[in-house]
Amino acid sequence: MFLRRLKALSRSLAFRLTLWYAGIFALSSFLAFVFFYYVIIDVLREQTDDNLRRQLSAFSGIMQVEGITGVQQVAAMDALSGGDKKRLIRLLSRFGTEFTAAGTDYWQNVGVNADAIRGLLTTGKPVIETVVLPERRDSLRIIYGMIGPGVIMQLGHSLAGEIRLITAFQGLFLTTIGLMFLLAAVIGWFLARRALSGVGGIAAAARKISGGDLETRAPVSGRRDEIDQLAGTLNHMLDRIQTLIRGISEMSDNIAHDLKSPVTRIRGLAEITLTTDPSGEAYEIMAASTIEECDRLLEMINAMLFISRAEAGVHDIRPARVDLNALVGDALRLFETTAADKQLRLDFEAAPAAAVKGDARMLQRMIANLLDNAIRYTPAGGRVRVVIAPSSDQGVRIDFSDTGIGISGDDQDRIFERFFRCDPSRTESGSGLGLSLARAVARAHGGDVTVQSKPGEGSTFSVILPAKSGPS
Ligand code: ADP
């Protein structure tokens, strides 16, 4: 159990971020240390070498003034005062033979380097070398230089102090780097957890949603960071999906309902004919009703197919030049009797020129739907008026105005949805597809249908068709 949790933890993004954070921190500290380490070593060596050169020139001064005896005396005193562990002093001939020495008791393992003397004699410049003595954990920095004619001085300085300083520096650094690593890991873990805290919430919400709970939303912390933006976008997407799903389910309910009614009617009539009066006349009536119902069904199915195809941008419209004045005039003649039956006044104001490029059959259907609605939803004694006028960009505008029942503001947003019918109009027959089809036709021609209405006063449906209207 514990091992599994540990394994899961090691796979987590927060853990890997922490490791990266602490690792990068430790690596940069280490590189900084290496840099300082070599700088310090370099500075210390420079200092020691300068010291050695200064002392060599001091001895060379003594040599000039007091001769070799003076040098011997100062060397003996120097070795004593510096502590005989510290310094090594030898006076040598050009051939490396020792005249005198101080501090050799401590440095007895350190001899004379013939190569250094040869180097000194050839170049005439002091030669400096380091002799490492691991058994004593010490090193000796040695200078060979001429302090007088034929007199070579070998002067050694213990590096024990420097070595101690560097060892202390190493220890301090390793402790510091360890602490830094731990601190960086803790801070990194805290930061990573904080930064990723929202991701866990989003993942949990996504799990719930995929489990079927479409009401769940990703938590938004209010920090307005990237995670909040992600949660917001996800929630917005979920809202849209939910609205779509609701729309689809409403639509399938409506389709089922609208298809069920005519089929039930066909079935009921057939049943009655069979059981009560199976005469020839009854069969004729049944056949006629069946054809009528089937026509209505087919019309509905075709309208649905057309709307879907038009909305998806797939239509088999064959564009041609269409005179809208003629098209509206024909439609008005068709509806004349119905309007007269309802004592409605039908007015038409044609435009001087109203030709567009489009599909006459489809445009006719759109005009018929809008005219049919205006007549159906206007009570007896009312007025329906169609006005065609040029619109901007040489397009054409057709207004269908009525003095009918009107549409409430909320419903105006929904009347173009498939199967939507406003409550006050339910007494009238209809499928709720007329306006969806009208808008689909207008949009397929690059135009649109809009509405302006006041309940109880009337409505105006406006069709705008662009000049070069044709299938888009
Ligand atoms: P329907 O077959 O119900 O007429 P439509 O898609 O043509 O379907 O219209 C949808 C709804 O919009 C109608 O049911 C009606 O409530 C409302 N409507 C459409 N045209 C008008 C109008 N001219 N006046 C009032 N309400 C209208």
Side-chain angles (χ1 to χ4, degrees):
M1 178 73 185
F2 176 72
L3 270 177
R4 204 179 304 155
R5 283 186 70 181
L6 203 70
K7 227 174 169 186
L9 181 78
S10 69
R11 273 198 300 263
S12 74
L13 189 56
F15 181 78
R16 277 182 285 156
L17 277 176
T18 306
L19 269 192
W20 272 102
Y21 189 73
I24 288 171
F25 207 72
L27 184 72
S28 35
S29 308
F30 177 75
L31 290 177
F33 162 75
V34 172
F35 175 73
F36 283 121
Y37 179 80
Y38 282 105
V39 167
I40 287 174
I41 286 185
D42 211 46
V43 168
L44 286 176
R45 182 174 302 155
E46 257 327 289
Q47 268 182 2
T48 312
D49 292 357
D50 280 354
N51 256 337
L52 287 171
R53 279 193 206 96
R54 261 200 306 277
Q55 284 170 24
L56 195 72
S57 78
F59 276 115
S60 137
I62 296 168
M63 179 77 176
Q64 273 178 17
V65 180
E66 297 177 33
I68 196 133
T69 338
V71 173
Q72 277 170 339
Q73 279 169 0
V74 175
M77 268 163 55
D78 195 73
L80 274 178
S81 63
D84 56 357
K85 277 185 178 180
K86 266 281 189 191
R87 235 194 269 284
L88 166 72
I89 301 174
R90 279 196 182 104
L91 290 179
L92 307 163
S93 74
R94 309 177 126 265
F95 310 105
T97 332
E98 185 178 307
F99 293 114
T100 187
T104 40
D105 293 346
Y106 183 74
W107 301 109
Q108 50 189 289
N109 297 343
V110 182
V112 174
N113 184 349
D115 287 342
I117 292 185
R118 219 170 296 128
L120 169 69
L121 292 175
T122 15
T123 62
K125 284 186 185 154
V127 175
I128 301 180
E129 63 168 12
T130 302
V131 177
V132 183
L133 303 163
E135 70 283 359
R136 286 197 197 167
R137 290 188 179 171
D138 202 348
S139 294
L140 196 64
R141 191 78 176 151
I142 301 176
I143 188 167
Y144 292 86
M146 306 289 292
I147 57 166
V151 182
I152 296 171
M153 174 169 264
Q154 182 198 29
L155 189 60
H157 174 84
S158 165
L159 293 176
E162 286 84 341
I163 289 169
R164 264 201 305 281
L165 185 76
I166 284 167
T167 315
F169 177 71
Q170 279 173 343
L172 186 77
F173 172 76
L174 286 176
T175 321
T176 315
I177 211 173
L179 286 174
M180 293 280 239
F181 184 80
L182 278 179
L183 193 74
V186 171
I187 294 174
W189 176 253
F190 173 76
L191 287 179
R193 287 300 298 249
R194 198 175 138 78
L196 297 173
S197 60
V199 177
I202 293 176
R207 266 196 301 276
K208 270 182 137 183
I209 293 159
S210 58
D213 180 2
L214 283 176
E215 296 297 325
T216 302
R217 292 290 176 270
V220 180
S221 69
R223 286 201 295 261
R224 293 186 184 185
D225 52 14
E226 288 84 345
I227 305 281
D228 256 13
Q229 281 173 22
L230 178 68
T233 313
L234 198 73
N235 289 344
H236 180 67
M237 190 180 81
L238 285 169
D239 288 344
R240 300 246 322 140
I241 289 175
Q242 208 174 12
T243 314
L244 273 176
I245 290 176
R246 226 178 263 144
I248 289 170
S249 114
E250 246 172 50
M251 204 170 78
S252 38
D253 281 357
N254 286 328
I255 292 176
H257 178 265
D258 281 54
L259 293 184
K260 215 172 121 191
S261 310
V263 173
T264 313
R265 279 198 297 272
I266 292 170
R267 194 193 175 280
L269 191 65
E271 197 174 6
I272 290 169
T273 313
L274 272 180
T275 50
T276 55
D277 183 16
S279 66
E281 195 189 344
Y283 275 116
E284 268 175 28
I285 294 171
M286 184 190 78
S289 301
T290 307
I291 289 171
E292 206 176 296
E293 293 290 0
C294 285
D295 280 351
R296 207 170 296 151
L297 268 174
L298 277 173
E299 197 182 320
M300 231 169 82
I301 292 167
N302 282 338
M304 275 169 6
L305 279 176
F306 178 82
I307 296 166
S308 305
R309 286 164 68 86
E311 280 178 359
V314 192
H315 24 66
D316 44 10
I317 296 172
R318 256 168 275 135
R321 192 177 174 279
V322 181
D323 180 5
L324 291 173
N325 281 333
L327 222 55
V328 172
D330 289 349
L332 281 166
R333 263 188 295 283
L334 275 178
F335 281 94
E336 245 167 25
T337 330
T338 328
D341 287 349
K342 271 187 99 177
Q343 291 141 30
L344 295 181
R345 204 174 119 190
L346 271 187
D347 287 339
F348 177 38
E349 204 178 296
V356 293
K357 208 173 145 210
D359 187 310
R361 207 168 40 94
M362 286 297 154
L363 291 170
Q364 200 166 31
R365 211 161 160 192
M366 175 190 75
I367 291 165
N369 281 357
L370 293 168
L371 207 51
D372 180 43
N373 279 354
I375 291 171
R376 260 188 309 138
Y377 300 116
T378 303
R383 183 178 163 197
V384 172
R385 183 180 159 83
V386 185
V387 178
I388 304 183
S391 93
S392 54
D393 286 342
Q394 297 171 351
V396 178
R397 177 193 179 103
I398 318 172
D399 287 334
F400 297 83
S401 310
D402 62 58
T403 54
I405 55 173
I407 306 157
S408 73
D410 287 347
D411 284 349
Q412 283 176 34
D413 296 333
R414 302 198 59 196
I415 48 172
F416 293 99
E417 287 174 17
R418 271 171 273 192
F419 297 107
F420 181 82
R421 306 197 70 207
C422 309
D423 280 336
S425 56
R426 296 234 173 244
T427 46
E428 292 292 331
S429 63
S431 62
L433 288 172
L435 285 180
S436 320
L437 191 131
R439 182 171 260 184
V441 171
R443 288 192 173 169
H445 284 78
D448 205 354
V449 182
T450 53
V451 65
Q452 274 187 324
S453 182
K454 257 192 183 165
E457 288 187 20
S459 318
T460 299
F461 284 85
S462 305
V463 177
I464 306 276
L465 292 172
K468 283 196 189 305
S469 70
S472 50

